[in-house]
Amino acid sequence: NSSAVIETVDITNVRVNEDLWAALKEAKQILTNLKVIHQPYMEGRKKPNPIASLKDWLGHNKHFELVEVFKRFDEEESMEVSKEVLMEAFQQAHLPFDKNNMEMLIDQLDSEGKEGVNYTSLIDNDQVKWLDECLVRYNAYTKD
């Protein structure tokens, strides 16, 4: 039914067999806007770092520009976006994260615990380099 209201299927950290993948593939043919969020089943393994996951995703989506997301949602042009607004922005940009990983990612980008992400240095830097710098600042901040 192409008028179905399901927009997102989140199967993060769920064991997925071939039958489910086939059903999801079939559903996506009918529901062209269906978004499937999936990260590998992590039983007994450490979960991936959200910044590392975002860097990997950006490597496969070279057209995506983080700075444009920040600019679009920075209504005051202050070079800073609140965590709440950034959550909305990243969801609208269809970043491939569940809610928990999205929150962890934003916490890492808000490396100093200011409840907002300053993206000034993103303007002048490569986005992957900027993400690396955010992670270094976050790790230093959380060690204190």
Side-chain angles (χ1 to χ4, degrees):
N1 180 353
S2 61
S3 63
V5 294
I6 296 175
E7 295 176 355
T8 305
V9 175
D10 186 348
I11 53 175
T12 299
N13 205 24
V14 173
R15 289 181 199 239
V16 178
N17 65 25
E18 291 180 25
D19 293 336
L20 180 57
W21 278 123
L24 287 170
K25 186 176 181 180
E26 186 177 317
K28 285 185 76 144
Q29 290 175 349
I30 297 167
L31 304 170
T32 56
N33 292 330
L34 180 65
K35 179 180 171 188
V36 177
I37 300 171
H38 178 259
Q39 293 176 355
Y41 183 70
M42 302 299 290
E43 182 177 21
R45 291 184 278 159
K46 185 178 175 183
K47 287 189 175 186
N49 178 308
I51 285 184
S53 297
L54 178 58
K55 286 171 43 180
D56 183 58
W57 184 82
L58 289 169
H60 298 289
N61 296 276
K62 298 195 184 304
H63 66 281
F64 189 86
E65 293 291 333
L66 277 175
V67 72
E68 295 305 320
V69 174
F70 279 94
K71 284 180 180 179
R72 187 171 60 231
F73 285 84
D74 183 7
E75 293 178 359
E76 297 172 8
E77 297 181 2
S78 64
M79 302 301 289
E80 188 164 304
V81 179
S82 74
K83 286 183 173 183
E84 295 79 25
V85 170
L86 200 52
M87 182 72 130
E88 169 83 14
F90 284 174
Q91 287 174 339
Q92 285 187 24
H94 302 292
L95 292 184
F97 294 99
D98 64 18
K99 185 177 185 230
N100 290 336
N101 282 329
M102 189 80 73
E103 288 172 352
M104 286 175 53
L105 172 66
I106 293 169
D107 283 343
Q108 288 180 330
L109 296 178
D110 175 25
S111 57
E112 297 171 359
K114 295 182 179 178
E115 297 303 310
V117 177
N118 185 305
Y119 65 98
T120 305
S121 63
L122 178 57
I123 301 290
D124 299 323
N125 279 314
D126 171 76
Q127 58 190 8
V128 172
K129 181 179 177 188
W130 181 76
L131 290 169
D132 287 337
E133 291 170 357
C134 287
L135 186 56
V136 167
R137 286 192 305 274
Y138 174 78
N139 288 337
Y141 175 76
T142 57
K143 282 184 181 180
D144 295 340

